[in-house]
Amino acid sequence: MSKIKRSIIIIAIILTAMLIIPLITVNTVKSDAGMLVTMMLFFVVHPIVSIATGILAGKDIKFFWFTPILVAGLFWAFSSFTYVTAFPFVYSVAYLIICTISMLITWLITKKAK
């Protein structure tokens, strides 16, 4: 897969998970179910997206080094006005760490395979 296609896929995954899905849930889900959906986003969807983008970025770490920063930054920026939470920075740091670790593990695996 070329670098341009991979970067488009990474950015589409990040924008979908960090912007489009939260905006849809905030505007369509009722308040009681909204808490459940928000918790599923925080503890299931966003970590899986962080791992997936880290894996995709780890295959070419010199070109995609910015991906963990992009994941954390977009989450922090969009959660500040989408969700009413006291700790968007804490979650964004957690997603930054998750994405960085998965990126480094993938990079080490591909480096050993070569």
Side-chain angles (χ1 to χ4, degrees):
M1 186 182 305
S2 70
K3 291 181 182 181
I4 295 173
K5 286 182 183 178
R6 189 176 297 147
S7 64
I8 290 171
I9 290 171
I10 289 173
I11 291 172
I13 289 171
I14 294 170
L15 286 177
T16 301
M18 301 297 176
L19 174 66
I20 296 170
I21 293 174
L23 285 176
I24 290 172
T25 58
V26 165
N27 293 327
T28 59
V29 178
K30 303 289 185 209
S31 63
D32 292 337
M35 180 60 78
L36 175 67
V37 172
T38 302
M39 290 298 120
M40 285 180 57
L41 283 172
F42 282 163
F43 297 118
V44 177
V45 175
H46 291 152
I48 289 173
V49 167
S50 298
I51 291 169
T53 55
I55 289 171
L56 288 172
K59 294 180 181 178
D60 190 6
I61 200 167
K62 290 181 182 178
F63 188 74
F64 296 111
W65 60 269
F66 62 91
T67 304
I69 299 167
L70 185 67
V71 169
L74 286 176
F75 174 78
W76 185 57
F78 295 134
S79 68
S80 297
F81 71 86
T82 306
Y83 301 118
V84 180
T85 178
F87 303 109
F89 183 73
V90 173
Y91 288 112
S92 64
V93 169
Y95 301 143
L96 174 73
I97 292 169
I98 291 169
C99 190
T100 304
I101 289 172
S102 65
M103 184 174 67
L104 291 175
I105 289 172
T106 305
W107 175 69
L108 288 173
I109 290 171
T110 57
K111 186 178 175 183
K112 276 191 172 183
K114 291 180 183 179

